[in-house]
Amino acid sequence: MNTNTEKFSYDNAIVRNFAIAVMLWGAVGMLVGVIAAIQMFAPHFSLGIPQTGFGRLRPLHTNAVIFAFVGNGIFMGVYYSLQRLMKARMFSDVLSRIHFWGWQLIIVAAAVTLLFGFTTGKEYAELEWPIDIAITLVWVVFGINMFGTIIKRRERHLYVAVWFYIATWITVAVLHIVNSLELPVSFLKSYPIYAGVQDALVQWWYGHNAVAFFLTTPYLGLMYYFLPKAANRPVYSYRLSIIHFWALIFIYIWAGPHHLLFTALPEWAQSLGMVFSLMLIAPSWGGMLNGLLTLRGAWDKVREEPVLKFLVVAVTAYGMATFEGPMLSIKSVNAISHYTDWTIAHVHVGALGWNGFLTFGILYWLVPKMWGTTLFSKKLANWHFWTGTMAILFYAIPMYWAGFTQSLMWKEFTPEGFLKYPNFLETVIRLVPMYQMRAAGGFLFLAGTFLMIYNLWKTAAQGRFIANEESEAPALVKNVVIHDHYWHRWIERRPIQMLVLSLIVILIGGIVEMIPTFMIKSNIPQIASVQPYTPLELQGRDIYVREGCYTCHSQMVRPFRSETERYGEYSKAGEFVYDHPFQWGSKRTGPDLHRLGGKYPDSWHYNHMFDPQSMSPGSLMPSYPWLFTQSINYASTPKKIKAMRTLGVPYAEGYENQANNDLDQQADKIVASLKSVEIEVKRDKEIIALIAYLQRLGTDIKKANPSTTAQNQ
Amino acid sequence: MQAQVEKEVKCYHCGDVCGKDEIVVTEKHFCCDGCKLVYEMLQENGLCTYYQLEKNPGIKLKAAQHERFSYLNDASVQSQLIQFQNNEVSKATFEIPAIHCASCIWLLENLFKLREGILGSEVNFIRKETTITYDHRAISLKQVVELLASIGYEPSISLEGAPKATNRQEKLFYYRLGVAGFAFGNIMLLSFPEYLSAGSFIEQHFVRFFAWINLILALPVFFFSSSVFFTSAYESLKRRQLNLDVPLALGILVLFGRTVFEIVAHTGAGYADSLAGLVFLLLVGRWFQGRTYERLSFERNYKHYFPVAVTRMNKGREEQVTLDKLAVGDKIVVRNEELVPADAVLLKGEANINYSFVTGEAEPVARSLGQIIFAGGRQEGCTIELQLTKQVSQSYLTGLWNHKAFEKQREDITTFSNKVSRYFTPALLLVAVLTFAYWAFTDIPKAFDAFTAILIVACPCALALSSPFLLGNAMAILGKNKLYLKDTTVIERLSAINEVVFDKTGTITLAGNKDIVYSAGVMPDDQQALVKALVRHSNHPLSSRLRQYLGNNGTYDVKQFSEVPGKGISGLVNGIKVKLGSAAFVDLTESLSGGIAETRVWVSFNGVPKGYYAFTNQYRPELKEVVAALKEHYTLSLISGDNEGEKTKLQQYFGQEVAMHFKQSPHEKLHYIEQLQQQGKKVLMLGDGLNDAGALKQSDAGISVSDNINNFSPACDAILDASQFGKLPAMLAFSRAAKTALIFGLLISGAYNAVGLYYAVQGNLSPVVAAILMPLSSVSVVAYGVMATQLLGRKYGLLGAAANAPKVNKSVANYEIQLT
Amino acid sequence: MTAIFVLIIISLIVAVGFLVAFLWSVRNGQYKDSYTPSVRILFDNDKPSDNTHKS
C-alpha cells in the first residue's frame, strides 16, 4: 500500500445522535406549536396555570423549533457532510460529544426557564444570560471542531457548502454576542444594555440575521451537498453557486431594519433595510434555480424517490419565502402585513417548507445510508410527503386570509370618517375559524412527522448501524500548492493597502471598546416629560415581560390615521428611552397597548386580568389568576434600581434604599381605588404592580409641552 | 450471420464492438488484450468503481512502443514540465485529452491506489488536465507518464504548451474585483442616509461618520482595484495614443480627488459610492469579456504538434534527443505514427507519409529512397531512417514561423470603442476647460466644482461597459454555435471583412471521405470478385474504402498475398495475378494523365492494367449555399496546395468569376493574403492545416475549420467546428449586426453623458445625481448590450429553436460542458 | 441612534473578515476549477482497497 495513503473512519455516531435529537425536539417543538395554536381560539386551554399560558408556550415553540429542531438539523448535516467533504474525521470526538450534550442541555434549560417565566422579552433571544453564555461556549466548541477538521483536511478544495457553514458560524457568533449584551440583576434576570429604539434596532438586526444565518445559509450549504448527492448529479452550475454565496454574504447582513418599518426608527434607516431586502431577491433566487435546475432531466427520479420530493418542495418553499420576504419589506405592503397573521404565514412557509422538508429529506437519505440498509417503507414516506405538503397549505392559506381580513378591518373607515370596527374585539372574533383551520394544519404536519419517526425507526431496526465508516485518502502534500506570491508578500509589496487595512482594524477596534459607554450615553432623555418608571411600575413591567404579553400585544402606534384614531397619538422614539428591553412586539392578536395608560379604571384591569371574557366577551386572552396570589418580590427592587442606574436611567444615588417605600405608597393608591368599587386586594400582589405599569403606559407625553414632542428623536 | 451476433457485444472497458479477437474474462467481454489488461490492473487494485460510475468509460490503448518516453529522463525536459520540486516531492501538470467522464476523474484521482510513490492527483475536467504530486525517489516522471499511458490516459506532452501553474495576473484581477465589490456594497450602504436624508431629519455626526468610513473604504478601491485602468492608460499614452482607459482613469482620478477634498473639508459627502460602483462595474465588465475558451489554444505553432524528442542514430546507437538539439545531417529514426520533425532524405525503409495535418489531405503518400520528406508528415507503417537536410526551424513548413506575420501583435487600439475615445477625450477636456474658463470670471470655487464635475459625469463608464457586455455575449452566442473566438475583438474584425479566402482540402472538402469512380466504366462482376477477394486481406485505408465500395462478400481465397507499403497489394486470386496500387506498381507511367486531382488505385490482371479507381474529393454538402450567401457581401477566392485537377468541379460551386490559385505553398498563401491587404481589402481566411497557418495569421480574421476542435488547429483568431460550416454566413451577418448594435450602444451612453454634462456645466452636480446617473446608465447599457445580442442571435437563427445550440448540459457523462 | 454606529462597525468587521476569506480563497487557487469539485463530491466510495492478494 502507498506510504502516503492514510486510513481513517468517518464518525457516524455523532451524526446519529443529532439525528435522534432532531426528531425528538422536532416533535416536541411542533407539539407545543399545536397546543399554542389551539389556545389561540380556545383560551381556556391554557388551564389557568402559569407554565401553560400562551405567553410562555409561544417563546418555547419558537425556540424549540429554531434552536432545537433546526439547530440539531444543522449539526446533523454539517457533521455528516463536512467529514466527507474534507475527507477527514471530525477534529475531536470529545468536542463532538461536548457539543452534542452541551446543546441538548441548553435546550432543556431553555424549555424549563421559559416555562417558568425567565425571559429577556426579546423575540428569538428570550433566553436569560446564563444560557446565553452556555450557548456561546458550545458554539465555540463547534467552531474549534469545524475549523480543526478543515485544517486537517485531505481535500484541497473547499466545496461551496463548507463556505456556507463557515459563514454561518462566524455570523451567528457575532449576532448572538452583540444582541445578548445584558446586565444581570440576579441569576436568571437581566436587563439589555440597549433601551427602546436602540434595543429594537439591535434586536431586529439580530432577528433578521438569525433567520438569514441560522435558518438559511447553513441549510443552503446542506442543499448544495445533499441535493446533488441524492440526485447523484453535479449541481447545475458550480460557478453560480460560488457567486450565490459571496453575493448573499455581502447583502444579507444589512437587511435587518425592515422589521421596523413605520416604527419610531429614523426614516432613512427604515428605507435602508427596505432597499437591501429587495436586493436579496437576486442571490436567493439564483440559489433556488441552481437547486431546481440540478434536477432537470431527472424528474422521473423525483417521481419515485421520496427524498427528492421533499428536497424539491423545500427548495420551492425557499424560493417563495425569499420572494415574499422582500415584498413584505416594501413599505406599502408592510403597512398592511405588519402585526397581522400574514407574517405568521410567511415564516411558516419558510419553517415548515424550507427547513422542515429539507430536514426530512436529509433524514430519509441519511438513516438508510448510516444503517447500511434501505428505507423501511417508501409508501409511508410518500404518505408523509403528502400530509406534510397538505399541512403547509392548510396552515398558510388560512393565515394569509386571516392577515388580509384583520388588516382590512383595522383600516376600514365609515363614510362619516369613523373606524368601521372601533372595537378591536370584532376583528379578532372574525379570525377564529381561520385559527381553527391553522391548528388542524399544524396537527397534520405533526402527524406526518410521527409517520417519519416510525418509518426511520423501523429502517434502523432492520439495518446495522455503521458507527465508523472506514475510508482512505492520501494526505494533502503541504507547500505544494503553488502560490505565485504569498499573502504577506502581496501585502508587503503594497504598503498603501497594508496601511488601509490596519487603519480599518484600529478604528474598528477602538470604537468597539466604546460600545457600552456609547449605549449608556445615548439613553439620556430626549423628551423632557418622559420620566423613569416608578419602582412599582418597574416591577409591573417585569411581570408584563415575564408573562410574554408582547407575543400578542404591540406597544408601537404607527403614524396611520387608522391607528391614531384607534389608539391615540403615534409613538415617538423618545418615549422608550427607559425601556430595557423594548416591548414593541411584532404581532397584534390583541390591541396595541402603548396608549393604554388611563384608558380604563384600575378595576377594569383587575377584572380583565382575572377573567378577560367578563370584561370583553369573546376575547381570546387567557386569564392570569396567579397574579392575584403571588406577591411582588420586594427584595429585587433595589437591585433593579441599581442596575437601571448603571444603564443610564437617572435614578438618584441611593434611591434604591427608599424605592420599596415609594412602591408601597403607589400600591396603596391603587388598592384604595379598587376598594372604592368593592374590590379587596393586598397591596403586595403582583396584579397591583401590573396595573400600575399598564396605567403608566404612554402617558408621559400627554404631560409634555408640544414644542418638545415635535421632534421625534 | 455469426458476425451479426458478435456486433452486439460491447467491450466492457472501452465500449467498442468486440471483433473476432474478442476476449472473455469472468463474463466480461473485451475487444482486445489492451483493454483486458487495464481491467485486470484496476480490478487487482480494487478500482472497479471506475466501471460503475459510467458504462464502458475506458480508452483503447495505442500500440505502445518501448522507450517512447525515455526523453523524460532528460533533465532539461523535466525542468520544463515539473512545476514544483523539493528534495522528495515533485509536482507536474499534464494535459490528458482522453479525459471525458466522471469515471476518468475518479480513476485519475485514485492513482495513488495504483502505484507506490504517487502522493496525490487532482483533475481539472474542463481543461482536461491532471496535476500529479509524486515522490520522485519512488517514481520518476517517465514512470508517471508511462503509468498514465498504461491505463489509457496518455498525456499530450509539449514543452511549448506546458500548462501553467497559476496565472498571477488572473488572481490579481480577482483580488481587485473582490476588493471593489466589498467596498461598493458597504459604501452604498453608508451612502443611503445621504440620499434619503432629504425625506427625514438626520444628525450631522452620522453624515460625518459615514463619510469618513466611505473614504477609508474608497482607498483600496482607488489605489488597488482601479490601478489596472491607470497602467493601461499610461501604456497607451506612452504609445502616443488615447485608448478608452485614458478618460476612465481621468474620471476615476478626479472622482477620488474630489471625494477626498469634500470629506476632509466637510464641504460634502463626496462621490465614494460612484467611485466604487464605477470601478466595480468596469471590472465586472472586463471579467465578462475576459472569459475565454480554456480548452482551446489559438496560439499553437508547429512545436505543439511535433514530438518533444526524437530518436537519433549516434554511432549505430539510438538515443533520445530534444528537437532543438537536432542538426542538419543527423540521422534519425521515425517509427509508425511518429512525425517527421524536419525536412529530410529517406535513407532506409518504406516511407508512407500522411500529411493530414499539414494539408488536410488524409491519404498517405509513398516516398522512395532518396526522396525528400517534408516536416510535419506522419509515417504510417514500418520504421524508417532519415537524414535531416534542414533544421527544424528552417524546414519547408516550419520556416513559416520566421515570417514577420508571427511577430506582430495586434494592438487593441484597433477596437471600436478605442477609436471613439480618440475623439471623445479631447472633446471632453475641451468642454471641461471652457466651462472652467466661463465660471472662472465669476466664481473660482464654482469653476473648480464644474470642472471636476464634468470630468466625473463624462467619464465614459457606460461606453466602457457597453462593448464588453455586448461583444462578450455575442462571443458566447457564437460559441454556442461552435464558432469559438479568441477574444471579443475578433467580432469587430469579422464585421469589417470584405474578402473571403477559402483553403480547399479539409476546409471545404470532407476529410477522408471520398467518392470512388472506376475509370473504365463498369467492371464485370467476375473481375470485381477478384478485386474484392484481394482487398479483404489489406488494412490500408484505401483498401478498406474499396472493400466498403465493393461489399465484402468475396468468395475466392488468395494465395501469395503481398503488400508493399506505400505502393500496393498483389496476390494470386483464382489463378489470376491481381495487382492493386499506384501507377508505378502496375508498371505504368503516370505521364499519360495530366494534372491529377484525385488519388488513383490502379488495377492489373496478370500484368495487364485494366483501369483505376479514382478517389475524388467530396465537398461539404452546405458549400453551395454558403458560397451563394457569402457572394452577396464579399468577394471570394480560393487557394489550394493541390493542383488544378478539380478546378472545373470547383467552379460549379464558386462560379467562373471567383479567383482560384492552385499549387500554392504555405508561403505563397501568406503572400496572397498580403497582396489582397495591400489592395486595401479586409481578408477573412478559412483554412485548416498547418500549411494555412501563415495565411490565417496574416489575414485580418483567420478561422480554422476543424472536425475535432480539441485536437488540432493552427494559429488563428477563431475555430469553427466543421459541423457548423453551413452557419458561417449567418455568423458573419450576426457579427456585422453586433457591430451596428455596438455603435447604437455608444449613442445611448453618449446621451447619458450629455445629461450629466447638463448638470455638471452649471457646476451643480450633487452626489445624489451622480449616484443615480452612474448605475442607471451602466445598468441600462449592460442590459441593452445583452438583450440586443440575444435578439440578434434569434434573428440570425443562432439562438433558440432555430439553432441546435448544444445547450450546456452538465450531466456527469457529458464532457462537452462549457468550453467557456 | 448610536446603536447604528455599533451595528455598522460590527457588520464592517464581519464584512472585512469575509473579504479576507475571499482573497485567501483566490490566492489558494480555490476557484481555478469551477466544475470538477461538483462532480468530485458525488464519489463517496473511497473505501480502502482490499488488495489482499497484492503485497
Side-chain angles (χ1 to χ4, degrees), chain B residues 15-28:
Chain B
D16 284 7
V17 175
C18 296
K20 51 186 174 308
D21 41 12
E22 169 183 10
I23 310 164
V24 183
V25 208
T26 64
E27 304 95 52
K28 295 186 176 62

Side-chain angles (χ1 to χ4, degrees), chain A residues 340-342 397-407 431 434-435:
Chain A
T340 73
D341 289 303
W342 187 343
I397 295 167
M399 283 297 96
Y400 283 115
W401 189 358
F404 301 136
T405 320
Q406 195 171 32
S407 183
L431 305 180
M434 285 80 131
Y435 285 164

Side-chain angles (χ1 to χ4, degrees), chain A residues 11-60:
Chain A
D11 181 0
N12 281 352
I14 189 69
V15 182
R16 173 199 56 196
N17 296 354
F18 277 116
I20 293 168
V22 171
M23 295 188 251
L24 172 64
W25 295 126
V28 173
M30 295 173 201
L31 180 64
V32 175
V34 173
I35 295 169
I38 294 170
Q39 292 178 344
M40 292 283 286
F41 57 83
H44 298 298
F45 202 73
S46 58
L47 313 173
I49 46 170
Q51 289 71 20
T52 52
F54 179 84
R56 298 192 187 185
L57 285 189
R58 196 260 193 178
L60 177 60

Side-chain angles (χ1 to χ4, degrees), chain A residues 152 217 236-237 246 268 299 330 339 391 404 416 425 436 467 529 568 614 652:
Chain A
K152 66 166 199 167
T217 49
Y236 170 66
S237 161
W246 290 109
W268 58 268
W299 291 106
I330 297 171
Y339 294 132
F404 301 136
E416 298 72 25
L425 202 50
Q436 289 162 339
S529 61
S614 68

Side-chain angles (χ1 to χ4, degrees), chain A residues 260-367:
Chain A
L260 301 170
L261 295 177
F262 298 109
T263 62
L265 190 69
E267 178 90 25
W268 58 268
Q270 297 184 24
S271 316
L272 185 69
M274 175 171 126
V275 173
F276 274 85
S277 311
L278 284 171
M279 289 201 288
L280 270 172
I281 293 185
S284 306
W285 275 55
M288 177 194 64
L289 293 174
N290 210 357
L292 289 180
L293 287 172
T294 303
L295 295 170
R296 95 210 156 300
W299 291 106
D300 48 326
K301 266 195 198 167
V302 176
R303 228 172 287 109
E304 55 249 20
E305 192 36 71
V307 174
L308 290 179
K309 282 189 196 160
F310 277 102
L311 296 182
V312 168
V313 172
V315 175
T316 320
Y318 172 67
M320 285 160 58
T322 49
F323 178 76
E324 190 184 14
M327 291 306 117
L328 289 175
S329 72
I330 297 171
K331 284 185 147 191
S332 44
V333 182
N334 190 276
I336 304 165
S337 74
H338 201 46
Y339 294 132
T340 73
D341 289 303
W342 187 343
T343 318
I344 315 300
H346 169 61
V347 298
H348 279 84
V349 169
L352 302 176
W354 167 237
N355 296 112
F357 268 39
L358 200 76
T359 316
F360 298 153
I362 294 172
L363 280 168
Y364 277 119
W365 185 81
L366 218 47
V367 170

